[in-house]
Amino acid sequence: MGKVLIIGAGGVGTVVAYKMAALPEVFSEIMLASRTKAKCDEIANKIGGNRIQTAQVDAENVPQLVELIRTFKPDLVVNVALPYQDLPIMDACLETETSYLDTANYEPKDEAKYEYKWQWAYQNRFKEAGITAILGCGFDPGVTSVYTAYAAKHHFDEINYLDIVDCNAGDHGKAFATNFNPEINIREVTQKGKYWKDGKWVETEPHEIHKPVNYPEIGPKESYLIYHEELESLVKNFPTIKQARFWMTFGQEYLTHLRVIQNIGMAGIEPIMYEGKEIVPIQFLKAVLPNPGDLGENYTGWTSIGCRIKGLKDGKEKTYYVYNNCSHEVAYKETGTQGVSYTTGVPAMIGAMMYLKGLWKKPGVFNVEEFDPDPFMAELNIHGLPWNEVHNTDLEMEY
């Protein structure tokens, strides 16, 4: 049906490649490219069947990207590289008039801050080029945004309160490790919290607000209010939302390590001089921490991610909880990756499928909740991320 170029050969790229390779009727040709071609070759060899072509590319080098895209001629570029590489890849897609999909919004390399304004600014250029950009098609952002759109379409006349709850109750056996790229993960969880309330953003200190939340089949886990990018697009696209928050679980040992890393300056993103050479502390830290892609083999337990929503239906107050639980062991058995990579990679594959089938295809730049959620939700059940829904339940949230 279509040709796809995947950029990024980490855990998420591995899952995307595995899942696409299993669907030749949708993904007729697949190329996997990254800065290190050997990583791509290793993934391709594990998948087998000559399903995956590989290439070397620097995702920050627009001329290199343009050359690769023009040579391979994909229908869609799937970006699962680093967030600060989003704009160069989008620039290359514009130059070659090729559609684009990513899983995380742009983040400047020299500033621990992410927001959609940089990518939304591409709206007119993508529209004029007649190509599609699908933003934030992982799990959160991604599935959580589709969950919200599905709830708005089928269960609510008006969504007033949204709480996205993200629990990783897994155990990888390491003293400290991050579940995706350490440089991005640590930057994300150490910045100030932020949530939407009554038409404005309210800022909090890092991890200042927290509470125990019960997760299905897992039980109570201390959950911390942090800022997450899908809140920005969801309050824009669902203007009846009065309050929107994002909660994530962290163990005490993880938080202790995180505080030490911050206190001694190892989370810094400004270059320092060491023995006559310039290094970035967090990039050095990344080099000594466990590789997230290697955690899967010994990972046990579950992730549980979902949306807790309160609003109005037929003039009456209604609550709704939609979620997925994913097993780290099952994810590893299928793809050789842990559950966090799996829950991000599967939605990226499904989003690419939606584009190639013409279901999510229109000129311009769009967040996933701006498309029809129904076909995407159906594919989640088929491809390893089945969802559950509970109506009129106690959401355990204060409003």
Side-chain angles (χ1 to χ4, degrees):
M1 182 181 289
K3 297 172 67 172
V4 177
L5 170 62
I6 307 164
I7 300 177
V12 176
T14 300
V15 175
V16 174
Y18 263 92
K19 286 293 192 177
M20 286 184 176
L23 296 167
E25 68 278 11
V26 177
F27 303 99
S28 54
E29 287 187 59
I30 307 161
M31 176 173 279
L32 179 62
S34 80
R35 190 186 299 267
T36 308
K37 186 174 180 292
K39 283 186 181 179
C40 303
D41 293 337
E42 184 180 351
I43 295 165
N45 290 335
K46 284 181 180 176
I47 292 172
N50 295 318
R51 284 288 287 132
I52 310 290
Q53 301 175 54
T54 63
Q56 190 278 332
V57 74
D58 179 351
E60 296 174 57
N61 186 316
V62 175
Q64 271 192 33
L65 290 162
V66 167
E67 183 180 356
L68 179 62
I69 293 169
R70 283 185 172 151
T71 301
F72 184 60
K73 296 181 174 62
D75 298 293
L76 178 70
V77 172
V78 173
N79 168 20
V80 287
L82 297 174
Y84 49 72
Q85 295 166 336
D86 289 0
L87 299 190
I89 297 173
M90 291 181 79
D91 287 336
C93 285
L94 272 174
E95 193 168 330
T96 57
E97 297 187 345
T98 308
S99 288
Y100 167 92
L101 178 147
D102 67 29
T103 62
N105 75 353
Y106 176 69
E107 183 175 333
K109 200 170 187 178
D110 57 355
E111 186 181 6
K113 180 180 182 180
Y114 47 89
E115 54 185 305
Y116 275 116
K117 69 176 182 183
W118 291 285
Q119 291 180 277
W120 286 344
Y122 280 68
Q123 169 69 18
N124 289 338
R125 282 178 285 168
F126 267 73
K127 192 171 184 179
E128 288 164 9
I131 55 177
T132 303
I134 300 171
L135 305 183
C137 196
F139 205 108
D140 44 356
V143 174
T144 52
S145 308
V146 176
Y147 281 169
T148 305
Y150 183 83
K153 180 176 178 179
H154 295 284
H155 302 308
F156 289 90
D157 298 322
E158 189 177 295
I159 291 177
N160 300 137
Y161 300 93
L162 168 66
D163 283 283
I164 298 171
V165 290
D166 181 331
C167 171
N168 181 6
D171 181 6
H172 46 55
K174 305 287 186 184
F176 181 84
T178 61
N179 290 295
F180 54 95
N181 185 288
E183 189 177 350
I184 302 304
N185 195 177
I186 291 171
R187 282 166 61 142
E188 175 183 300
V189 302
T190 56
Q191 66 178 311
K192 288 190 175 185
K194 191 167 69 170
Y195 65 97
W196 181 258
K197 187 172 179 65
D198 298 329
K200 63 182 180 181
W201 293 105
V202 179
E203 197 171 81
T204 71
E205 291 303 312
H207 314 133
E208 175 188 353
I209 298 175
H210 56 95
K211 59 175 282 165
V213 174
N214 279 288
Y215 294 88
E217 312 302 322
I218 293 170
K221 291 287 182 182
E222 198 68 16
S223 304
Y224 296 79
L225 188 150
I226 68 171
Y227 178 65
H228 224 244
E229 62 228 65
E230 64 264 47
L231 297 180
E232 183 183 12
S233 66
L234 287 170
V235 299
K236 170 176 170 278
N237 290 316
F238 298 96
T240 61
I241 293 177
K242 298 175 182 177
Q243 179 174 279
R245 302 176 295 191
F246 187 101
W247 305 82
M248 184 174 279
T249 61
F250 302 110
Q252 286 306 307
E253 187 176 15
Y254 179 91
L255 289 176
T256 299
H257 277 85
L258 206 56
R259 279 192 291 271
V260 172
I261 286 168
Q262 286 181 284
N263 289 342
I264 64 174
M266 287 305 298
I269 61 175
E270 295 295 326
I272 63 166
M273 294 303 295
Y274 175 72
E275 293 187 346
K277 186 177 181 181
E278 199 175 70
I279 66 166
V280 176
I282 199 169
Q283 292 178 357
F284 174 80
L285 179 66
K286 173 185 172 182
V288 298
L289 286 177
N291 178 0
D294 297 335
L295 296 176
E297 186 174 5
N298 299 308
Y299 225 134
T300 58
W302 296 77
T303 65
S304 182
I305 311 173
C307 295
R308 301 187 180 195
I309 299 171
K310 182 179 178 182
L312 298 175
K313 179 67 175 177
D314 298 327
K316 296 179 182 178
E317 192 174 272
K318 175 183 174 64
T319 65
Y320 175 70
Y321 179 27
V322 56
Y323 67 92
N324 162 264
N325 276 24
C326 177
S327 161
H328 286 289
E329 294 101 319
V330 172
Y332 182 76
K333 188 174 181 181
E334 182 184 348
T335 64
T337 66
Q338 35 95 345
V340 177
S341 296
Y342 191 87
T343 55
T344 306
V346 172
M349 178 279 289
I350 295 174
M353 178 195 295
M354 295 295 98
Y355 175 81
L356 292 178
K357 287 186 172 182
L359 300 171
W360 285 13
K361 189 175 185 178
K362 52 187 177 181
V365 176
F366 304 97
N367 294 88
V368 293
E369 67 268 20
E370 296 179 81
F371 297 100
D372 182 5
D374 291 3
F376 187 98
M377 291 287 280
E379 296 295 339
L380 286 171
N381 284 328
I382 296 168
H383 296 289
L385 294 177
W387 44 278
N388 305 277
E389 53 184 356
V390 186
H391 297 268
N392 295 315
T393 187
D394 178 8
L395 299 179
E396 303 181 279
M397 296 294 169
E398 300 84 24
Y399 303 108

